[in-house]
């Protein structure tokens, strides 16, 4: 074979070998990130990986000329530069809280549990009769700030005479962070009891949505907290305990998850550091309290676009082309690490069914037609809580039932207010406990 052919082939072989070596070093670095749980912002893994690579390069080139000895270092330099980008923060490591909202005052309350939470108050407005019992809202997440879309719905309820309070759970929105090991579903329930006690207005009505509905459900099973509650609205709940979390059941009618346009806007996961951190946490390979990206830095970095298709999954497929903007970039806040930590404490918890069966607080369950939640998460609560007085199957909406589209907000408000005032339900009481088997069979 002529030299003119041999030289390019040798060059290609060396290039492929160098590329393989660089890829192998990156993979080795990621394995060390997992093994060390990201210790020292990832530098523990970086120094170990580069050190091993340098030793290997020296050994590989030990019998070559000085120029030949440099060749094995090329993939080391490339991989070292790539992996170094995972170790260096590009976002402030000190928590930057969202700015104040223009349409409501943010207060901060120190609860008896030690949490310092952001509180929003919407006094009753309009010409509707004033309702003497305060209404407390628990938003979803967990550990996510209250969206502007939710704030608008709370304003609607205040416009119907309700004295509405909402607080962002510890670590979410403008509320102070907790040490990672203090986040748990039990702590969230205790914070609810402490908040109602701090409010000092006697028993309250509570509307819990999504993960907030889980907090509310577990509060109903806790006699000390339930004593503070007059009525409870459990809207689109997640799994209430470990056994429920392990149910692999069906979901509602098709959501917009796979058909909606991709979310636009900046993504932290386009930055290697945060793509690695959030990706490995989601896979369970990094702990929420890992040493790679701290809680404050992760909160600052995470954007609405990082939620990807999760937002679209909260809407019916028929609404795929008109999904509303749920939040502003400035108000959006989500702690992925703390959220995973709380979800894990739910998965690890024992059944609360025996305690829930003793609940006496009048409750209502709301289920969306196009729910992205596993159906059995809601029907298990219905089956185990004898105090659920009515169930409202919400037609035409997905998981986020009040969303500003059409008359969805009006429909949700009508269902909620009718129950709180003990008036006839605007929709059929469905499914009842007897309907559960048929409901799970027919509403897929």
């Amino acid at each position: 074979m002529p030299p003119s052919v041999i030289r390019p082939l040798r060059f290609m072989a060396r290039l492929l070998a160098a590329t393989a070596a660089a890829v192998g070093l990156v993979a080795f670095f990621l394995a060390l990130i997992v093994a060390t749980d990201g210790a020292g912002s990832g530098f523990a893994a970086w120094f170990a990986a580069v050190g091993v690579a340098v030793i290997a390069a020296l050994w590989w080139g030990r019998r070559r000329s000085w120029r030949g000895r440099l060749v094995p270092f090329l993939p080391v330099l490339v991989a070292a530069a790539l992996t170094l980008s995972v170790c260096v923060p590009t976002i402030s490591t000190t928590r930057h809280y969202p700015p104040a909202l223009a349409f409501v005052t943010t207060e901060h309350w120190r609860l008896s549990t030690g949490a310092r939470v952001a509180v929003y108050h919407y006094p009753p407005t309009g010409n509707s009769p004033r309702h003497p019992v305060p209404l407390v809202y628990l938003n979803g997440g967990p550990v996510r700030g209250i969206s502007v879309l939710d704030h608008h719905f709370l304003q609607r309820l205040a416009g119907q005479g309700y004295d509405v309070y909402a607080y962002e759970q510890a670590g979410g929105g403008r509320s102070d962070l907790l040490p990672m090991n203090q986040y748990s579903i039990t702590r969230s329930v205790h914070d609810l009891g402490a908040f109602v006690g701090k409010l000092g207005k006697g028993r309250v009505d509570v509307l819990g949505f999504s993960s907030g509905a889980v907090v509310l459900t577990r509060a109903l099973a806790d006699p000390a907290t339930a004593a503070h509650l007059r009525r409870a609205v459990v809207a689109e709940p997640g799994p209430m305990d470990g056994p429920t979390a392990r149910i692999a059941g069906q979901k509602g009618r098709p959501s917009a998850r796979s058909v909606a346009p991709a979310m636009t806007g900046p993504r932290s996961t386009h930055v290697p550091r945060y793509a690695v951190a959030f990706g490995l946490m989601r896979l369970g390979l990094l702990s929420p309290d890992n040493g790679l990206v701290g809680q404050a830095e992760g909160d600052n970095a995470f954007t609405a676009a990082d939620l990807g298709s999760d937002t679209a999954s909260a809407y019916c497929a028929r609404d795929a082309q008109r999904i509303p903007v749920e939040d502003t970039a400035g108000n959006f806040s989500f702690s992925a690490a703390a959220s995973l930590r709380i979800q894990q404490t739910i998965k690890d918890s024992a059944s609360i069914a025996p305690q829930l069966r003793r609940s006496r607080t009048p409750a209502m369950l709301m289920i969306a037609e196009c729910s992205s939640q596993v159906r059995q998460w809601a029907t298990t609560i219905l089956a185990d809580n004898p105090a659920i007085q009515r169930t409202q199957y919400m037609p035409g909406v997905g998981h986020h039932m009040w969303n500003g589209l059409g008359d969805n907000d009006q429909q949700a408000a009508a269902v909620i207010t009718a129950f709180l005032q003990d008036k006839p339900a605007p929709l059929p009481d469905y499914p009842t406990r007897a309907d559960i088997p048929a409901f799970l069979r027919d509403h897929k």
Side-chain angles (χ1 to χ4, degrees):
M1 191 176 292
S4 59
V5 175
I6 294 175
R7 290 192 189 98
L9 289 176
R10 285 178 177 173
F11 175 78
M12 288 299 297
R14 289 172 181 170
L15 181 61
L16 289 173
T19 300
V23 171
L25 180 53
V26 170
F28 180 52
F29 166 77
L30 293 176
L32 289 175
I33 286 285
V34 172
T36 61
D37 203 29
S41 193
F43 278 108
W46 188 83
F47 280 117
V50 172
V52 169
V54 167
I55 292 171
L58 289 171
W59 183 85
W60 186 263
R62 70 191 186 284
R63 295 179 181 176
R64 300 186 179 189
S65 65
W66 69 271
R67 288 183 179 178
R69 292 174 184 174
L70 294 178
V71 173
F73 283 93
L74 293 178
V76 175
L77 291 174
V78 171
L82 289 174
T83 53
L84 185 62
S85 66
V86 175
C87 303
V88 180
T90 60
I91 299 289
S92 173
T93 57
T94 301
R95 181 69 173 114
H96 290 174
Y97 293 93
L101 293 166
F103 51 82
V104 65
T105 300
T106 305
E107 301 179 33
H108 284 90
W109 292 7
R110 177 72 67 179
L111 305 181
S112 60
T113 56
R116 184 173 179 268
V117 297
V119 180
Y120 309 94
H121 180 208
Y122 291 103
T125 60
N127 299 320
S128 299
R130 300 301 191 255
H131 302 283
V133 180
L135 174 61
V136 174
Y137 176 61
L138 293 175
N139 67 300
V143 201
R144 179 174 174 176
I146 299 175
S147 70
V148 170
L149 202 61
D150 280 7
H151 276 290
H152 290 163
F153 184 66
L154 300 181
Q155 288 176 315
R156 170 184 283 272
L157 294 175
Q160 295 180 237
Y162 289 89
D163 192 18
V164 181
Y165 289 84
Y167 69 94
E168 287 168 319
Q169 297 168 49
R174 296 165 184 81
S175 294
D176 286 4
L177 307 181
L178 294 175
M180 190 60 68
N181 62 4
Q182 291 189 21
Y183 290 105
S184 72
I185 188 60
T186 300
R187 171 61 181 265
S188 298
V189 172
H190 291 166
D191 282 349
L192 171 60
F195 178 82
V196 177
K198 179 84 171 181
L199 186 59
K201 295 191 175 185
R203 292 197 303 163
V204 302
D205 296 329
V206 180
L207 166 61
F209 166 66
S210 193
S211 64
V214 177
V215 175
L216 178 54
T217 299
R218 293 182 71 102
L220 294 173
D222 177 50
T225 307
H228 297 290
L229 311 182
R230 188 188 75 101
R231 286 186 169 242
V233 179
V234 179
E236 276 289 283
M240 67 180 186
D241 54 25
T244 311
R246 290 188 284 274
I247 294 175
Q250 71 265 25
K251 300 181 180 181
R253 302 199 192 281
S255 76
R257 185 181 188 95
S258 60
V259 293
M263 287 192 70
T264 58
R267 294 174 182 256
S268 69
T269 47
H270 288 169
V271 179
R273 176 174 175 82
Y274 307 111
V276 168
F278 294 140
L280 292 178
M281 276 193 286
R282 186 160 190 148
L283 292 172
L285 299 176
L286 276 186
S287 71
D289 198 19
N290 68 83
L292 180 60
V293 172
Q295 181 185 177
E297 181 188 353
D299 290 6
N300 293 337
F302 204 93
T303 69
D306 287 324
L307 293 172
S309 58
D310 283 356
T311 297
S313 70
Y315 295 85
C316 291
R318 66 178 73 95
D319 294 325
Q321 302 304 318
R322 60 169 192 160
I323 293 175
V325 176
E326 294 191 341
D327 213 351
T328 64
N331 184 65
F332 177 82
S333 171
F334 180 69
S335 176
S339 180
L340 288 172
R341 161 78 183 172
I342 291 178
Q343 291 177 59
Q344 189 60 51
T345 65
I346 296 172
K347 294 175 183 177
D348 293 341
S349 69
S351 171
I352 65 167
Q355 294 82 9
L356 193 59
R357 292 187 188 114
R358 294 193 289 269
S359 176
R360 296 296 178 266
T361 304
M364 177 179 71
L365 180 65
M366 298 175 69
I367 305 175
E369 178 185 0
C370 308
S371 178
S372 56
Q373 308 286 76
V374 173
R375 288 297 197 197
Q376 285 89 336
W377 292 348
T379 58
T380 298
I381 295 173
L382 175 61
D384 290 335
N385 186 351
I388 291 181
Q389 297 182 346
R390 67 177 70 166
T391 302
Q392 301 283 267
Y393 178 71
M394 307 293 288
V397 295
H399 179 59
H400 205 155
M401 294 181 288
W402 41 88
N403 51 40
L405 298 178
D407 63 352
N408 292 342
D409 286 15
Q410 180 180 347
Q411 175 182 249
V415 164
I416 292 167
T417 57
F419 174 71
L420 296 180
Q421 297 175 42
D422 199 20
K423 293 182 177 179
L427 297 173
D429 182 12
Y430 176 79
T432 64
R433 291 175 186 83
D435 295 325
I436 290 175
F439 176 77
L440 293 176
R441 182 183 65 246
D442 299 337
H443 291 271
K444 299 179 180 179

